[in-house]
Amino acid sequence: MTSFPTTLRSPHFTPVLLFVNAFGSFLVLVSLSTHVGSVTGSGLLAGAVLSAPWLPALLLAGPLNRLLSRRAPERLVRLAEAASLVLTAAALVAPGDALLAAAAVLVLARGYFEAVTRSATSVVLRGTVRPERLDRANTVAEIGKLTGLSVGAALAGPAGAVLTLRGLIAVNVATLALSAALAWALPSPPEGSPVAARDDADSATGTRLRVHDPVLRRLFARFLLVAFWQGFHTVAVTVIPLHVLGGGTRLVGVFVAISAVAIFAGSLAALPAQRYLDRLPSATWALAPMPPLLAAVLVGRTVPTLALYSLFLVLFEVAYVHYNNRLLAAASAEELSSVVTLRATLLPSGVAVSILVMGALCDLAGPLPAALVVAATTVVVTAATGATGQTWRRTVRHRVIMMAGAGKRGVRP
């Protein structure tokens, strides 16, 4: 497909595109990880497969930033989805004895194109959605992505029982064909918008992977708290059921399932709540998840712990949406590519480091000291970045006024 009616193009296709992209990707990824674990008997190799898609974006952050700063974002999404489709179709025709290796290479290569898609769609939204609706658009896009991840991971088991690995890759080819078609439905930023108006000098500045704005740096510090919590959560879904509640593998499965529902519920709750989140100090959303987390570990009884830990995850997801929206809204056009690139690379690398640190701490000292470290780190980082609130509100208010002025001059914000 090389064209799409201009009148039908809309940023509202973004959540559907992210859902389809994430669904197909995780359907294959989780199935492949399970297959590798069963064939090799190695949990380490199975975990390495799950983390592999984030490695290319981390190692190639510089090229990703240059692409985002120099190329039209909607075109990047189309090229990324087309490249993923071609690679996946090529893996589909690999010989039987080479299919597993081809799938592993596919996961690595696809990881970079998925990072391009997820980063470039954020730039598309920033350039095509009115400022007063941008938070809602970013929240809906995150819900679309999270829903795709959850549905793909949930269906990987049942689908893997019915389909071979080649069959799952064939399903992924079909989902990629759909997401590639949806990519053509994304609009271009209107002429005169900050994203479209970046000149060569701005693009040259944007190729440097740096964020100079001190407000954005403090926001990134709070955003990375989410990565720290995610690393703890990855360890806690096994450690808390086994060592705090004294259960077995069945309780671990229940804990994982309830956690997934709580995170999804948090993302849904953030949609109606996001318009009110700025009415409270920003620090509230960093500190609010800590009391239920500590209480969940301290109480040590199955039902209260599950309820309190679910509340922690709901607030966790609300905090993620809050800081994600603030980052994307506060970034200037010149620094937007660096912001979305660092978001795509720092978050997964922060999660990986946190998993290692929290896993070692849980092994050496136990879940309660690990939870106390999470809470103490959160308090310290929040206190050290306490100046973000008022300055951020002034920055965004000024940007909305500038965009409104552009609209009066005939440019659609």
Tab-separated table of all heavy atoms in Angstrom, residues 159-182:
chain	number	residue	atom	x	y	z
A	159	ALA	N	-2.384	-20.220	22.388
A	159	ALA	CA	-2.030	-20.272	20.964
A	159	ALA	C	-0.872	-21.235	20.724
A	159	ALA	O	-0.850	-21.964	19.716
A	159	ALA	CB	-1.663	-18.878	20.454
A	160	GLY	N	0.098	-21.239	21.668
A	160	GLY	CA	1.231	-22.147	21.516
A	160	GLY	C	0.836	-23.602	21.621
A	160	GLY	O	1.528	-24.485	21.089
A	161	ALA	N	-0.285	-23.887	22.311
A	161	ALA	CA	-0.757	-25.267	22.415
A	161	ALA	C	-1.432	-25.741	21.134
A	161	ALA	O	-1.547	-26.944	20.900
A	161	ALA	CB	-1.725	-25.389	23.588
A	162	VAL	N	-1.868	-24.789	20.314
A	162	VAL	CA	-2.581	-25.126	19.079
A	162	VAL	C	-1.690	-24.967	17.845
A	162	VAL	O	-1.739	-25.780	16.922
A	162	VAL	CB	-3.839	-24.239	18.941
A	162	VAL	CG1	-4.551	-24.512	17.619
A	162	VAL	CG2	-4.779	-24.464	20.109
A	163	LEU	N	-0.860	-23.927	17.847
A	163	LEU	CA	-0.039	-23.603	16.690
A	163	LEU	C	1.429	-23.904	16.950
A	163	LEU	O	1.904	-23.822	18.088
A	163	LEU	CB	-0.179	-22.113	16.339
A	163	LEU	CG	-1.584	-21.619	15.972
A	163	LEU	CD1	-1.576	-20.099	15.838
A	163	LEU	CD2	-2.057	-22.269	14.678
A	164	THR	N	2.144	-24.238	15.897
A	164	THR	CA	3.595	-24.371	15.981
A	164	THR	C	4.219	-22.978	15.988
A	164	THR	O	3.539	-21.970	15.784
A	164	THR	CB	4.124	-25.154	14.777
A	164	THR	OG1	3.844	-24.411	13.577
A	164	THR	CG2	3.482	-26.529	14.692
A	165	LEU	N	5.517	-22.912	16.216
A	165	LEU	CA	6.215	-21.632	16.171
A	165	LEU	C	6.042	-20.980	14.803
A	165	LEU	O	5.838	-19.760	14.708
A	165	LEU	CB	7.705	-21.834	16.486
A	165	LEU	CG	8.580	-20.573	16.458
A	165	LEU	CD1	8.069	-19.535	17.445
A	165	LEU	CD2	10.042	-20.929	16.750
A	166	ARG	N	6.092	-21.760	13.746
A	166	ARG	CA	5.895	-21.212	12.397
A	166	ARG	C	4.470	-20.644	12.253
A	166	ARG	O	4.266	-19.597	11.631
A	166	ARG	CB	6.152	-22.287	11.342
A	166	ARG	CG	6.291	-21.731	9.923
A	166	ARG	CD	6.529	-22.842	8.912
A	166	ARG	NE	7.735	-23.600	9.221
A	166	ARG	CZ	8.959	-23.230	8.848
A	166	ARG	NH1	9.128	-22.112	8.166
A	166	ARG	NH2	9.997	-23.976	9.160
A	167	GLY	N	3.503	-21.316	12.838
A	167	GLY	CA	2.135	-20.815	12.796
A	167	GLY	C	1.974	-19.499	13.536
A	167	GLY	O	1.263	-18.596	13.078
A	168	LEU	N	2.660	-19.381	14.686
A	168	LEU	CA	2.605	-18.129	15.437
A	168	LEU	C	3.262	-16.993	14.658
A	168	LEU	O	2.775	-15.853	14.673
A	168	LEU	CB	3.294	-18.310	16.784
A	168	LEU	CG	2.587	-19.238	17.769
A	168	LEU	CD1	3.495	-19.542	18.958
A	168	LEU	CD2	1.285	-18.606	18.254
A	169	ILE	N	4.361	-17.300	13.981
A	169	ILE	CA	5.003	-16.274	13.154
A	169	ILE	C	4.088	-15.868	12.006
A	169	ILE	O	4.022	-14.686	11.626
A	169	ILE	CB	6.366	-16.784	12.633
A	169	ILE	CG1	7.339	-16.978	13.806
A	169	ILE	CG2	6.968	-15.804	11.622
A	169	ILE	CD1	8.668	-17.593	13.413
A	170	ALA	N	3.339	-16.824	11.455
A	170	ALA	CA	2.385	-16.500	10.386
A	170	ALA	C	1.297	-15.556	10.907
A	170	ALA	O	0.884	-14.620	10.199
A	170	ALA	CB	1.769	-17.784	9.831
A	171	VAL	N	0.825	-15.795	12.133
A	171	VAL	CA	-0.149	-14.881	12.732
A	171	VAL	C	0.460	-13.490	12.880
A	171	VAL	O	-0.196	-12.469	12.611
A	171	VAL	CB	-0.611	-15.415	14.099
A	171	VAL	CG1	-1.466	-14.374	14.827
A	171	VAL	CG2	-1.393	-16.700	13.932
A	172	ASN	N	1.737	-13.432	13.275
A	172	ASN	CA	2.411	-12.149	13.418
A	172	ASN	C	2.556	-11.432	12.076
A	172	ASN	O	2.478	-10.201	12.006
A	172	ASN	CB	3.780	-12.359	14.061
A	172	ASN	CG	4.389	-11.081	14.604
A	172	ASN	OD1	5.571	-11.019	14.908
A	172	ASN	ND2	3.590	-10.029	14.726
A	173	VAL	N	2.777	-12.185	11.001
A	173	VAL	CA	2.824	-11.578	9.671
A	173	VAL	C	1.488	-10.894	9.368
A	173	VAL	O	1.442	-9.764	8.851
A	173	VAL	CB	3.150	-12.630	8.593
A	173	VAL	CG1	2.939	-12.061	7.192
A	173	VAL	CG2	4.593	-13.105	8.746
A	174	ALA	N	0.387	-11.556	9.726
A	174	ALA	CA	-0.934	-10.974	9.476
A	174	ALA	C	-1.147	-9.708	10.307
A	174	ALA	O	-1.678	-8.703	9.810
A	174	ALA	CB	-2.016	-12.008	9.791
A	175	THR	N	-0.723	-9.722	11.585
A	175	THR	CA	-0.900	-8.523	12.411
A	175	THR	C	-0.027	-7.382	11.911
A	175	THR	O	-0.430	-6.209	11.949
A	175	THR	CB	-0.573	-8.818	13.886
A	175	THR	OG1	0.785	-9.232	14.023
A	175	THR	CG2	-1.500	-9.896	14.441
A	176	LEU	N	1.165	-7.708	11.421
A	176	LEU	CA	2.044	-6.668	10.895
A	176	LEU	C	1.497	-6.077	9.600
A	176	LEU	O	1.684	-4.884	9.326
A	176	LEU	CB	3.452	-7.217	10.676
A	176	LEU	CG	4.302	-7.326	11.937
A	176	LEU	CD1	5.556	-8.136	11.670
A	176	LEU	CD2	4.671	-5.935	12.451
A	177	ALA	N	0.851	-6.896	8.784
A	177	ALA	CA	0.216	-6.363	7.576
A	177	ALA	C	-0.850	-5.336	7.965
A	177	ALA	O	-0.983	-4.280	7.319
A	177	ALA	CB	-0.391	-7.496	6.753
A	178	LEU	N	-1.588	-5.621	9.037
A	178	LEU	CA	-2.604	-4.679	9.501
A	178	LEU	C	-1.972	-3.415	10.076
A	178	LEU	O	-2.407	-2.296	9.779
A	178	LEU	CB	-3.496	-5.353	10.547
A	178	LEU	CG	-4.576	-4.476	11.189
A	178	LEU	CD1	-5.488	-3.872	10.127
A	178	LEU	CD2	-5.380	-5.274	12.206
A	179	SER	N	-0.935	-3.580	10.916
A	179	SER	CA	-0.301	-2.391	11.503
A	179	SER	C	0.403	-1.549	10.443
A	179	SER	O	0.436	-0.316	10.542
A	179	SER	CB	0.686	-2.788	12.605
A	179	SER	OG	1.753	-3.559	12.098
A	180	ALA	N	0.948	-2.191	9.388
A	180	ALA	CA	1.554	-1.433	8.296
A	180	ALA	C	0.497	-0.613	7.556
A	180	ALA	O	0.747	0.528	7.149
A	180	ALA	CB	2.267	-2.378	7.333
A	181	ALA	N	-0.698	-1.195	7.382
A	181	ALA	CA	-1.791	-0.445	6.759
A	181	ALA	C	-2.222	0.718	7.647
A	181	ALA	O	-2.472	1.835	7.157
A	181	ALA	CB	-2.966	-1.376	6.479
A	182	LEU	N	-2.305	0.482	8.963
A	182	LEU	CA	-2.685	1.549	9.878
A	182	LEU	C	-1.645	2.664	9.904
A	182	LEU	O	-1.988	3.833	10.132
A	182	LEU	CB	-2.874	0.978	11.288
A	182	LEU	CG	-4.104	0.101	11.494
A	182	LEU	CD1	-4.014	-0.632	12.831
A	182	LEU	CD2	-5.377	0.938	11.443
